[in-house]
Amino acid sequence: MMRRSLRTVAGLLLALATSACLTGGRRGGDAAMTAYDLGLPVMRAEAGGSAGTRWQLEVKAPVWLDSAAMVYRLAYADPAQWREFSQARWVAPPAGLLERRLQRLLGYAPAGRRGACLLRLELDEFSQVFTDPQRSHALLWLQASWFDGERKPLLVKPVRIELAAGADAQSGVAALVQAVESLAGQLAAQEKTLSANCR
């Protein structure tokens, strides 16, 4: 009887180890996939609306962010390792989500029209960073560059926003949504200092 019990326990441990290998580098179990965006559509902001006809926005991202994967890092274990949640994804790559959200929040037009001033955001990090197994923070890190209508640089500024999150993907999404809202506020404030250069 004891040998049979030991064989059963060994079989269960082997099954658990195998399933862990199949989801290596990913957080999550066998739950259904959940897709996230940055929230419900918003009205164009009145503050940004006055500049909406003058300013355009484009968001660029490196190739490793050009997917719908929702990524995280374990700062306490191996912060250089790029991991993906297995049961949570974005509905589109982060750059596209960020661009559309900020266009709505700030009242900016898509890039492409000649003669208009341009805000270009170059995304470096859009992830959830775990400082221990139960705590994390959302990290939004980018470089913002403002150009006049002739594409002469007006200002280049790095932006880093960190907001506390919990131990799951859902809390990370909520924190990243708040980070984008905070970013919109910072960009709107900076725009006011540059509006005289954009006619």
Side-chain angles (χ1 to χ4, degrees):
M1 180 68 73
M2 181 171 287
R3 288 181 179 177
R4 183 178 298 174
S5 298
L6 289 174
R7 284 198 299 269
T8 302
V9 171
L12 288 172
L13 290 174
L14 180 60
L16 288 171
T18 302
S19 65
C21 290
L22 291 175
T23 58
R26 299 186 174 206
R27 287 179 77 92
D30 296 327
M33 179 69 70
T34 303
Y36 293 93
D37 61 16
L38 296 177
L40 292 170
V42 294
M43 296 294 291
R44 291 184 183 273
E46 291 299 324
S50 61
T53 56
R54 300 197 306 267
W55 286 94
Q56 298 180 17
L57 172 72
E58 68 176 0
V59 180
K60 295 181 174 292
V63 292
W64 58 86
L65 279 174
D66 191 22
S67 81
M70 189 174 294
V71 300
Y72 68 94
R73 298 179 188 269
L74 301 180
Y76 61 90
D78 186 359
Q81 186 172 349
W82 192 255
R83 304 167 189 257
E84 299 177 8
F85 286 100
S86 59
Q87 267 71 51
R89 293 180 68 81
W90 298 110
V91 297
L97 292 175
L98 184 60
E99 184 174 85
R100 183 64 173 171
R101 188 71 171 177
L102 290 175
Q103 284 171 354
R104 291 298 186 190
L105 288 171
L106 298 171
Y108 288 9
R113 184 166 58 86
R114 297 181 62 181
C117 294
L118 174 69
L119 168 58
R120 177 181 295 140
L121 304 179
E122 296 176 77
L123 197 57
D124 288 316
E125 191 82 16
F126 194 81
S127 65
Q128 187 172 354
V129 180
F130 285 82
T131 51
D132 66 45
Q134 300 303 318
R135 288 183 296 181
S136 69
H137 61 265
L139 176 56
L140 173 57
W141 197 351
L142 54 83
Q143 178 170 280
S145 303
W146 287 263
F147 302 88
D148 67 13
E150 297 179 354
R151 294 301 179 264
K152 294 178 181 177
L154 298 172
L155 178 67
V156 177
K157 181 179 180 180
V159 180
R160 180 185 175 114
I161 300 172
E162 295 183 24
L163 290 175
D168 59 358
Q170 186 175 10
S171 67
V173 170
L176 281 166
V177 169
Q178 291 179 17
V180 172
E181 301 284 330
S182 176
L183 173 64
Q186 292 184 37
L187 296 176
Q190 188 66 68
E191 174 203 317
K192 293 179 180 179
T193 70
L194 300 172
S195 58
N197 300 100
C198 185
R199 298 296 182 187

